[in-house]
Amino acid sequence: MREINLIVVHCSATPNGRWVSTLDIDQWHAARGFKRQGVWRARQNAQLGSIGYHFVVYTNGAIATGRHLAEVGAHVYGNNRNSIGICVAGTDQFTRAQWSSLAALVDRLRKEFPDARVTGHRDLSPDKDNDGLVEPWEWLKTCPGFSVAAWLRTDMLPRPGHILEEPA
Ligand SMILES: [Zn+2]
């Protein structure tokens, strides 16, 4: 196993609530030139030749695997070597099933990697004014569409304003 010190939450930047699978993401990442090594494909998800994330949280709450946990991902510039990448399908609103699965997954990974910091992709943007905070004007992207820090502070409950209510 490689050393893990960072868990990064992403979103797929697709319409909220729209079904997205690891096969879809694999195609997008193939188009961007991402490539998994054969040894890792042989160990896990051989059908996925490119996907950069380790996990994807589907709109129905299912958690799908992408890259092997011991395999370096391709999801965050400059921080791939020691991190795990989780992608939640959507842009900034997620189903209650997604919120609950994301919480369970992060909980499990934190137990397995107690030294890992959990953060959102946007929080890894460069701190341009060097004040120690990555502020909204400094975000390269808005991914994952909510504040991971606030989510962690509030016991990983669904974030107000970011819950996709499904039709009854
Ligand atoms: Zn991202």
Side-chain angles (χ1 to χ4, degrees):
M1 189 58 203
R2 62 201 167 102
E3 187 201 334
I4 298 295
N5 55 29
L6 192 63
I7 296 169
V8 186
V9 180
H10 299 264
C11 66
S12 60
T14 46
N16 295 322
R18 180 187 287 181
W19 181 258
V20 169
S21 76
T22 50
L23 287 168
D24 298 316
I25 295 172
D26 193 61
Q27 286 186 1
W28 306 333
H29 286 183
R32 290 170 62 184
F34 298 1
K35 208 169 177 345
R36 295 180 66 210
Q37 291 172 7
V39 284
W40 289 114
R41 289 181 68 169
R43 272 184 80 175
Q44 180 169 295
N45 293 323
Q47 76 283 13
L48 304 173
S50 300
I51 195 166
Y53 305 119
H54 297 90
F55 297 98
V56 179
V57 181
Y58 288 177
T59 50
N60 68 357
I63 298 171
T65 58
R67 293 202 182 195
H68 192 284
L69 264 188
E71 178 182 0
V72 174
H75 56 94
V76 52
Y77 183 76
N79 282 290
N80 284 308
R81 187 146 303 276
N82 301 109
S83 69
I84 294 170
I86 303 172
C87 175
V88 189
T91 293
D92 56 8
Q93 290 198 319
F94 310 100
T95 64
R96 289 182 185 276
Q98 283 179 298
W99 283 112
S100 125
S101 292
L102 178 64
L105 177 60
V106 168
D107 218 43
R108 182 196 117 194
L109 292 172
R110 278 175 133 183
K111 288 191 176 98
E112 198 171 340
F113 307 102
D115 299 330
R117 182 164 68 96
V118 183
T119 193
H121 189 182
R122 70 189 189 188
D123 302 304
L124 295 167
S125 303
D127 178 17
K128 288 186 188 149
D129 62 3
N130 284 305
D131 68 350
L133 294 171
V134 177
E135 293 142 306
W137 68 271
E138 294 168 320
W139 293 342
L140 293 176
K141 312 178 156 194
T142 55
C143 172
F146 68 97
S147 165
V148 171
W151 176 66
L152 293 170
R153 278 197 305 271
T154 53
D155 287 331
M156 298 194 274
L157 290 170
R159 294 301 299 150
H162 296 274
I163 305 169
L164 184 70
E165 299 293 358
E166 290 159 293

